[in-house]
Amino acid sequence: NGGKNCVGALSESASCGTNPCPVNGNYGNWGAWSRCTKTCGSGTQKRNRACNNPAPKYGGKACVGKSSETRFCNTKRCPVNGGWSAFGNYGPCNNKCGGGIQKKMRYCSNPTPKYGGKGCPGLNTMIRTCNLHKCPVDGGYSSWGAFSRCSKSCGGGTRSRTRSCTNPTPKYGGRSCSRLGASRETQRCGTGACPIPWSGYKTARVCEHHTMHLNCGSGGRVYIHSATYGRKSRSYCGNIFWYSTNCRSGSSHHHVVARCNNRQSCSVTATNSIFGDPCWGTVKYLEVT
């Protein structure tokens, strides 16, 4: 209709939404693990991370997830060093007398070393002396001594010999020699018949290497009063070898009595093989009464 156009802009703009946009938080990298709380036997260690990559702003959301984490560490067993138990009682002495030793023990079991732990220091044994008293010495006999002279020369006598408890002498409570038998021994001797007193003794002689024959006839008996093998006179069995006129075999009487006493007859040879040689080089004779 011929009207005028509108004056001015058909539209206008105005600023809006000028507030900063929200920034959601995000975690940064994890930090290093902390030192383990134990050197052995299973400890723990921890690490952290910060909510700064970026930090939440302008109403942005916080970081999602944990800001720290924990893990086990040094899980190997800890070494256990050994420890001694108490000492036990002393054992028996190894000798009953004369000095011995006895021991007592302890053990590395309180606790027993494990997992590379150290052993127990020191010794596991204690030793002491024991039974220091002298050992008993049982008595022992010496050799037998010589027999004493016979109490009778005929008709039955006795003779004795002794031994002493000195080999060794009993000491320190040792046993006496009585367990080994008697200390004195007696035996019979002089068992030959004693001569009957009679004035009719006769003396017979034979030279060396000759045999003497004695015979009392029927009902008679020979009784030897004395017998000498040797030489005490130059009157018999003459010879240039008269080196000694005072020698006598100590066994003369014994040998003749053994062969002749209480017999009707007997024979005795005058020889060194029976009586021994009382004077070497001298011609001897046997004289019997």
Side-chain angles (χ1 to χ4, degrees):
N1 299 317
K4 295 179 178 179
N5 289 333
C6 293
V7 178
L10 293 177
S11 62
E12 67 178 350
S13 296
S15 295
C16 64
T18 57
N19 293 327
C21 293
V23 177
N24 293 331
N26 190 48
Y27 282 116
N29 293 330
W30 286 101
W33 287 103
S34 65
R35 184 185 298 273
C36 192
T37 56
K38 294 183 179 180
T39 57
C40 60
S42 191
T44 59
Q45 59 185 168
K46 187 177 181 181
R47 68 177 180 176
N48 298 309
R49 59 182 177 175
C51 187
N52 59 4
N53 187 33
K57 291 189 295 185
Y58 313 127
K61 295 179 180 180
C63 292
V64 177
K66 296 179 180 180
S67 62
S68 64
E69 65 179 357
T70 301
R71 70 178 180 181
F72 292 107
C73 52
N74 291 340
T75 56
K76 65 183 183 296
R77 292 182 183 270
C78 293
V80 177
N81 294 330
W84 289 115
S85 66
F87 274 104
N89 295 325
Y90 277 105
C93 193
N94 67 339
N95 282 331
K96 293 182 178 180
C97 58
I101 59 171
Q102 57 185 166
K103 301 177 181 179
K104 66 178 180 179
M105 307 284 291
R106 60 178 178 175
Y107 300 93
C108 191
S109 60
N110 188 33
T112 303
K114 292 186 290 188
Y115 315 125
K118 296 179 181 179
C120 296
L123 300 176
N124 68 337
T125 305
M126 286 186 68
I127 298 175
R128 70 179 181 183
T129 56
C130 52
N131 291 343
L132 299 178
H133 58 280
K134 300 275 190 180
C135 292
V137 177
D138 292 338
Y141 278 122
S142 64
S143 298
W144 286 103
F147 276 106
S148 63
R149 184 183 298 275
C150 190
S151 61
K152 293 182 180 180
S153 60
C154 62
T158 59
R159 63 179 185 173
S160 62
R161 63 179 183 175
T162 60
R163 55 183 179 174
S164 60
C165 189
T166 56
N167 187 35
T169 302
K171 292 187 289 188
Y172 314 123
R175 295 177 292 175
S176 69
C177 291
S178 59
R179 74 192 192 283
L180 303 176
S183 61
R184 176 181 292 272
E185 180 180 64
T186 302
Q187 64 178 207
R188 291 176 55 79
C189 58
T191 56
C194 291
I196 299 174
W198 181 51
S199 59
Y201 281 117
K202 295 181 180 180
T203 298
R205 298 178 188 87
V206 292
C207 296
E208 187 175 359
H209 305 306
H210 290 75
T211 299
M212 177 182 291
H213 301 283
L214 302 178
N215 193 326
C216 289
S218 177
R221 289 290 183 269
V222 176
Y223 293 99
I224 304 301
H225 179 266
S226 65
T228 302
Y229 176 73
R231 177 171 288 279
K232 57 183 180 178
S233 171
R234 299 189 182 193
S235 302
Y236 311 106
C237 303
N239 193 284
I240 59 172
F241 298 107
W242 289 345
Y243 296 153
S244 175
T245 57
N246 186 24
C247 69
R248 178 181 182 275
S249 169
S251 63
S252 304
H253 186 267
H254 169 76
H255 286 299
V256 177
V257 166
R259 286 168 169 76
C260 296
N261 241 25
N262 207 30
R263 298 184 182 185
Q264 180 179 329
S265 64
C266 64
S267 298
V268 183
T269 301
T271 175
N272 294 340
S273 64
I274 295 177
F275 300 99
D277 190 352
C279 40
W280 184 85
T282 297
V283 175
K284 294 163 281 292
Y285 59 86
L286 175 62
E287 180 179 285
V288 177
T289 299

